[in-house]
Amino acid sequence: MTEIIDGNAVASEIRDNLTDAIETLADAGSRPGLATVLMGDDPASQTYVNMKQRDCEEVGIESHHVDVAGDAPPETLYDTIADLNADPEIHGYIVQAPVPDHVDYREVIRRVDPAKDVDGFHPENVGRLVAGDARFRPCTPHGVQKLLEDAAIDLEGKDVTIVGRSDIVGKPLANLLIQKADDGNATVTVCHSRTTDLAAKTRGADVVVAAAGAPELIDGSMIGDGAVVIDVGVNRVDADNEKGYELVGDVEFESAKERASAITPVPGGVGPMTRAMLLYNTVKAASLQNGVDVDLP
Ligand code: GUN
């Protein structure tokens, strides 16, 4: 029987295990505070930001939100960032990507105080992660590690193929999984849009992580017998329903399930883990900024 890895259940456990740390910080006068910044009105980004706000309320993190008009000059966003950097009640914040085309996201990231960069995207935090001394692991890669750990999938010596080389998922995940650590020690192949014979690289892997942003790119014929499949993709595709769309992953679930020993669904797999790890990073940020030690799950 193929195990369907339940991201909602694992995320819920992580949230529960954060509440003690949050109350310890609150008792010490520094309840963790997270801000989300959204420039423009991309509907998917609005949904994500709303869910992050709700998550904060559920665990006792103070949530704040700043909307920036999509046609505002980059300086308006920079001013928001400067305000958040200076605000002692904000321990962490994220600028939801993508930003409009006239704004350079790299420049945005460089302006975020690295101590408040709970996405883990600032060059200082990327460098620390690559050096094996991460301050904030980016939320999706960290969530993938936690899912694998919860499912008791030991990566030591395993071949992992990651499909996708994004700064948000593929690159940081590859760096984490090659580290000499209990949740690393894998041999990692990173595939991308110029990879030749993608199917050979996925078929030979013990673990396939699909993070290409391409609906159902990976089907069952590309999965080795008994492999573990982690689907990071969240793609809106047209559908004949009330919303007019449905969510599908980067993996064709039904055919991949026939071959895999364990697989994450979309939705309900990696997505809730990304959100839980943002809460985790916010608690860690508040702990570091206030010098209050807490146990993190
Ligand atoms: N857009 C898609 N994923 C992410 C993420 O993890 N962080 C931010 N800031 N934007 C995103």
Side-chain angles (χ1 to χ4, degrees):
M1 266 289 283
T2 306
E3 180 189 356
I4 310 298
I5 298 175
D6 185 349
N8 282 316
V10 183
S12 169
E13 199 179 313
I14 288 175
R15 283 196 302 272
D16 285 349
N17 289 335
L18 281 171
T19 53
D20 276 355
I22 292 165
E23 292 318 311
T24 302
L25 286 159
D27 290 346
S30 51
R31 181 172 291 282
L34 173 74
T36 50
V37 180
L38 178 59
M39 186 168 187
D41 52 12
D42 176 63
S45 292
Q46 275 172 338
T47 304
Y48 292 139
V49 164
N50 290 342
M51 289 196 292
K52 288 166 186 173
Q53 301 281 315
R54 230 182 308 136
D55 291 339
C56 284
E57 276 158 34
E58 199 182 305
V59 295
I61 290 176
E62 284 292 336
S63 73
H64 308 258
H65 178 70
V66 185
D67 272 315
V68 179
D71 58 359
E75 288 70 24
T76 307
L77 181 57
Y78 300 162
D79 288 345
T80 297
I81 289 173
D83 289 346
L84 293 170
N85 286 344
D87 186 340
E89 289 188 9
I90 305 292
H91 300 99
Y93 66 96
I94 64 158
V95 180
Q96 185 69 31
V99 290
D101 287 345
H102 68 284
V103 179
D104 176 2
Y105 194 63
R106 287 185 193 202
E107 179 57 28
V108 170
I109 293 307
R110 278 194 289 268
R111 287 170 181 262
V112 174
D113 179 347
K116 296 188 176 188
D117 167 36
V118 285
D119 265 328
F121 294 168
H122 187 282
E124 179 181 313
N125 287 322
V126 174
R128 286 183 60 146
L129 182 145
V130 173
D133 179 31
R135 178 198 270 136
F136 301 119
R137 297 183 192 206
C139 302
T140 301
H142 197 185
V144 170
Q145 286 188 297
K146 289 285 188 193
L147 274 185
L148 291 169
E149 185 187 316
D150 188 82
I153 293 157
D154 184 3
L155 294 180
E156 182 165 329
K158 296 277 171 58
D159 290 320
V160 177
T161 292
I162 299 172
V163 184
R165 57 177 158 185
S166 69
D167 293 337
I168 296 182
V169 185
K171 281 190 222 167
L173 182 61
N175 276 291
L176 287 166
L177 297 188
I178 59 170
Q179 279 173 20
K180 198 178 264 189
D182 288 345
D183 54 3
N185 287 330
T187 302
V188 177
T189 302
V190 182
C191 300
H192 48 75
S193 53
R194 303 294 189 276
T195 295
T196 54
D197 203 354
L198 176 63
K201 272 120 186 143
T202 55
R203 217 177 281 129
D206 301 303
V207 179
V208 175
V209 182
E216 300 184 326
L217 172 71
I218 314 280
D219 67 21
S221 73
M222 299 167 74
I223 301 297
D225 240 348
V228 174
V229 178
I230 305 292
D231 191 351
V232 178
V234 184
N235 307 289
R236 285 188 178 199
V237 298
D238 292 344
D240 194 10
N241 61 21
E242 212 171 286
K243 288 186 191 160
Y245 69 87
E246 63 178 0
L247 295 181
V248 299
D250 287 358
V251 175
E252 195 186 278
F253 183 80
E254 290 305 327
S255 63
K257 183 166 72 100
E258 296 304 309
R259 309 269 300 178
S261 59
I263 185 168
T264 61
V266 176
V270 175
M273 293 301 294
T274 298
R275 288 159 50 197
M277 300 328 288
L278 180 63
L279 304 176
Y280 176 108
N281 278 350
T282 304
V283 174
K284 186 170 185 185
S287 160
L288 291 172
Q289 282 160 44
N290 293 291
V292 178
D293 269 344
V294 291
D295 287 330
L296 290 168

